[in-house]
Each structure stands twice: as structure tokens, then as C-alpha cells.
Amino acid sequence: MEFHEKLQQLRRQNNMTQEQLALAVGVSRTTVTMWEAGESMPTSNKLPKLAQVLGCTIDELFRA
């Protein structure tokens, strides 16, 4: 499973919309959409907050 698939899976498991995740992480909804489409990746400074919000580790975001 690639990062964008894992991100979408974790977001849905946490019953969050893309808008909610974006607000929690401090990015736009469009940015989350691009992450989930595999068009871009979060910057390294966003990864700790992203993992915290999704209740996982940074490693789990990138593991299959």
C-alpha cells in the first residue's frame, strides 16, 4: 500500500473528511486531496502533526 492509499485509509478510519484533516494539520483541503491522489507528498514538518491527528506513527504512514 502506497502512502496516498494509507493516508486515505487512516483518515476514513478516523471518520474525518478531507476538510477536517486539513484544518487539523494546517493545510488546505486541496493539499489533502493532492496527497490522497498521489500528486504530492506532505513536507517533513507536517508529518508529525499528520501522524498525531491520525493516531499513528510516521513510520506507519509509509508502511504497506
Side-chain angles (χ1 to χ4, degrees):
M1 182 179 296
E2 293 188 35
F3 170 80
H4 68 278
E5 296 167 317
K6 185 71 169 185
L7 176 62
Q8 188 176 64
Q9 178 187 51
L10 288 169
R11 178 181 59 78
R12 288 179 175 168
Q13 285 176 358
N14 282 278
N15 297 313
M16 296 181 83
T17 64
Q18 288 182 340
E19 181 72 26
Q20 290 169 323
L21 180 59
L23 288 171
V25 177
V27 298
S28 69
R29 184 200 52 78
T30 303
T31 298
V32 173
T33 300
M34 290 175 66
W35 292 346
E36 289 188 359
E39 295 175 8
S40 68
M41 294 286 286
T43 57
S44 60
N45 65 326
K46 295 295 182 191
L47 291 175
K49 185 67 176 176
L50 189 58
Q52 177 191 9
V53 168
L54 295 173
C56 66
T57 66
I58 294 171
D59 284 347
E60 288 172 321
L61 285 172
F62 291 94
R63 270 194 233 136

